[in-house]
Amino acid sequence: MKRMIREDTIDLDHLVLLCSRSLRLYDRRLIDHGERVTMIASNILDVWERRDSVDRQTMLLLCLFHDIGAYKTEEIDRMLEFESNRVHEHSTYGYLFLKYFSPLESVSEALLYHHMSAKVSREMNFPLRDYSNLIHLADRMDVAVATGMGKEELIALLEENSEEQFDMTQVRSLTGLLRETALYEDIRDNHFHECVLAQLHRCRITADEAMAYLKMLVFTVDFHSPDTVGHSVTTTITSLYLAEQNHLPDVQMDRIFFAALVHDIGKIAIPTEILENPGKLSFEQMEIMKGHVSYTEELLTGLVSTDVLQIASRHHEKLDGSGYPHGVPGDALSTCERIVGVADIFSALTGKRSYKDRFDREKTIGILREMARDGKIDRTLVEQISAGYDELMRRITEAVQPMMETYRSLHADFEYVMAHLPDEQ
Ligand SMILES: [Fe+2]
Ligand SMILES: [Fe+2]
Ligand SMILES: [Fe+2]
Ligand SMILES: [Fe+2]
């Protein structure tokens, strides 16, 4: 799957916004907190005497995603308390997430220690401590403000604790800002979103970095369970195979590539107990589950081209108009949209799910043919899948196997890191 992201599909810089929008949908508190920490850190960086020791853009992106590991561990309630000791899990996951799936790999360790005191990071001679200390300081200020601490009390607390907890020079910059600017009030009164968006708009990322952010996003959704690790990628490979069979031009292949990868990102907003429900979903649960397509649409709107938006958000529409969310009739569904729809079903049938085993060739093709007979999906596409089944499965295995290995090694790393953290962590 050696495709790149075309700039007419999505502005590369918009991928960072897409990631942050997606996390907002998962839990608003998570990304609002990330944005406030980014805002505090960026203000400190404007005045900090040693600001040249860190890369500004890297620092701000680390701040924005510093608690991304909480997505996995649901430690959100605990880590938003001022005195929280049990924060290892989200720090470890956040670190591993960035290490495996983002362009921030080289600085990812800063997240592992973002709750560690400056004293310990000094003693460890931790090379990224300028990053981790600044996240720690900005994070603690945000939590203090959120729990109602007054400005004077905060300044006093920072100055008292600075030796042990924080980097003194960073604390001096922050207390100066608290005294001389409206930073405290801006954070307290939630005046941060526009400022952070403006900063993110100024981020410049390369095509390779954009690709890494895209993967980070897709894995955030698919790594919920080992069964779904390969779902988006399988859908993408199947879509590209069908596009190839139908001689679609390169520009459409690129749109399909992007749309198929992100088609389910709306699932980030769906509760895990519904995503992983082992039995049949009730009517109400099913309605919630179906909502993922509208979330995908909401997330992509304004950030990707209309074509890509429609391909991604119409993957559950059917030719006879019985699909969702809009019941779009078949004659309004483009070839690209039909392709991703069929590929998504194929991926679900050939994959294991919490409620079913993987289906073999005969059963999969049987179900697809029945759906085509009922007028729900495109017959030609089904026959193309049937004819190229072995080659298609070979391509899928080739792409998904390394992902399974990544999934396993991420979990093994997690156990290892948790067992070897320094005492204070
Ligand atoms: Fe944290
Ligand atoms: Fe945090
Ligand atoms: Fe879906
Ligand atoms: Fe899907």
Side-chain angles (χ1 to χ4, degrees):
M1 260 204 331
K2 296 265 177 290
R3 288 212 157 247
M4 292 308 290
I5 303 165
R6 295 172 67 102
E7 294 236 24
D8 56 359
T9 304
I10 183 168
D11 227 338
L12 297 183
D13 313 334
H14 281 172
L15 265 171
V16 174
L17 293 180
L18 184 57
C19 292
S20 102
R21 257 193 204 180
S22 309
L23 289 175
R24 160 162 287 117
L25 215 51
Y26 172 67
D27 189 316
R28 218 198 137 92
R29 291 173 300 168
L30 191 64
I31 202 69
D32 282 353
H33 169 63
E35 286 190 1
R36 286 193 300 262
V37 169
T38 307
M39 164 113 169
I40 298 165
S42 96
N43 274 270
I44 296 174
L45 281 181
D46 288 340
V47 294
W48 183 38
E49 67 216 49
R50 293 201 301 108
R51 60 181 171 271
D52 291 338
S53 71
V54 297
D55 175 69
R56 187 183 174 91
Q57 179 170 314
T58 305
M59 186 72 233
L60 298 185
L61 290 172
L62 275 178
C63 286
L64 185 67
F65 297 124
H66 80 279
D67 278 332
I68 193 172
Y71 172 73
K72 188 82 189 172
T73 61
E74 289 163 25
E75 279 186 352
I76 303 176
D77 292 323
R78 263 178 290 163
M79 73 201 187
L80 294 180
E81 293 161 13
F82 194 73
E83 294 299 337
S84 50
N85 295 316
R86 298 180 55 202
V87 288
H88 317 174
E89 288 193 3
H90 86 274
S91 309
T92 306
Y93 261 122
Y95 151 59
L96 293 173
F97 230 93
L98 287 205
K99 179 178 160 193
Y100 279 90
F101 307 125
S102 84
L104 298 170
E105 182 192 348
S106 61
V107 287
S108 56
E109 232 183 323
L111 288 201
L112 180 59
Y113 299 122
H114 80 271
H115 284 283
M116 184 164 69
S117 70
K119 181 167 172 268
V120 175
S121 70
R122 222 176 11 250
E123 283 165 6
M124 277 172 64
N125 206 10
F126 178 47
L128 296 168
R129 62 182 183 272
D130 283 339
Y131 287 95
S132 60
N133 286 339
L134 187 54
I135 303 172
H136 182 49
L137 176 62
D139 177 84
R140 291 301 90 186
M141 163 167 165
D142 182 46
V143 173
V145 177
T147 48
M149 189 177 286
K151 181 153 75 172
E152 292 312 319
E153 199 187 340
L154 174 62
I155 293 173
L157 182 97
L158 288 172
E159 285 176 343
E160 267 168 41
N161 280 313
S162 55
E163 282 275 20
E164 284 270 312
Q165 271 302 316
F166 305 117
D167 176 309
M168 287 283 283
T169 60
Q170 292 175 351
V171 167
R172 267 202 302 274
S173 303
L174 176 57
T175 49
L177 287 165
L178 289 171
R179 289 194 174 100
E180 289 152 28
T181 72
L183 179 62
Y184 175 90
E185 290 73 15
D186 284 343
I187 294 297
R188 183 194 61 195
D189 303 337
N190 280 330
H191 297 150
F192 60 91
H193 188 58
E194 295 308 318
C195 163
V196 173
L197 276 188
Q199 304 249 9
L200 294 182
H201 268 299
R202 279 200 290 275
C203 281
R204 288 288 160 259
I205 62 174
T206 64
D208 284 344
E209 288 168 342
M211 197 60 208
Y213 280 115
L214 180 61
K215 281 191 188 154
M216 177 169 110
L217 196 58
V218 172
F219 291 141
T220 309
V221 178
D222 285 356
F223 271 46
H224 243 299
S225 108
D227 296 341
T228 52
V229 166
H231 173 64
S232 300
V233 167
T234 302
T235 306
T236 307
I237 289 173
T238 310
S239 300
L240 289 176
Y241 166 80
L242 289 170
E244 203 179 283
Q245 294 298 307
N246 290 283
H247 312 290
L248 295 192
D250 226 36
V251 65
Q252 286 190 17
M253 299 273 266
D254 287 329
R255 286 180 191 143
I256 284 183
F257 169 76
F258 191 91
L261 265 180
V262 299
H263 76 280
D264 271 340
I265 54 171
K267 282 190 179 165
I268 207 159
I270 308 297
T272 312
E273 55 281 15
I274 293 185
L275 289 177
E276 290 303 311
N277 190 310
K280 202 171 156 33
L281 293 178
S282 69
F283 177 78
E284 289 77 21
Q285 287 173 321
M286 196 60 207
E287 289 304 299
I288 296 173
M289 182 65 162
K290 283 180 173 178
H292 79 275
V293 202
S294 310
Y295 287 122
T296 293
E297 192 173 352
E298 182 186 321
L299 283 171
L300 295 176
T301 299
L303 296 183
V304 298
S305 68
T306 323
D307 286 353
V308 174
L309 174 68
Q310 283 199 1
I311 301 169
S313 58
R314 290 183 167 184
H315 71 272
H316 287 293
E317 298 290 358
K318 298 283 181 292
L319 294 183
D320 61 0
S322 66
Y324 62 89
H326 301 301
V328 179
D331 51 9
L333 291 174
S334 70
T335 308
C336 295
E337 290 159 21
R338 292 169 186 220
I339 283 177
V340 176
V342 171
D344 178 50
I345 301 171
F346 179 75
S347 169
L349 293 173
T350 52
K352 192 176 166 331
R353 289 289 177 275
S354 52
Y355 53 88
K356 76 167 211 22
D357 252 331
R358 60 182 79 246
F359 293 155
D360 62 11
R361 176 190 182 134
E362 203 185 332
K363 186 150 186 183
T364 302
I365 301 296
I367 294 174
L368 289 175
R369 283 193 174 135
E370 200 180 302
M371 291 179 81
R373 255 197 315 277
D374 291 346
K376 299 205 177 299
I377 55 175
D378 194 309
R379 187 182 301 270
T380 316
L381 299 177
V382 172
E383 289 316 314
Q384 284 167 342
I385 286 183
S386 170
Y389 185 90
D390 292 334
E391 167 59 13
L392 182 53
M393 288 312 277
R394 192 195 58 74
R395 291 188 197 178
I396 290 169
T397 313
E398 192 183 277
V400 173
Q401 229 158 34
M403 292 176 64
M404 281 310 294
E405 274 153 33
T406 302
Y407 183 84
R408 279 188 219 109
S409 80
L410 191 146
H411 283 85
D413 265 16
F414 178 78
E415 300 302 328
Y416 180 86
V417 173
M418 288 294 282
H420 292 84
L421 282 174
D423 278 351
E424 194 217 41
Q425 270 274 297

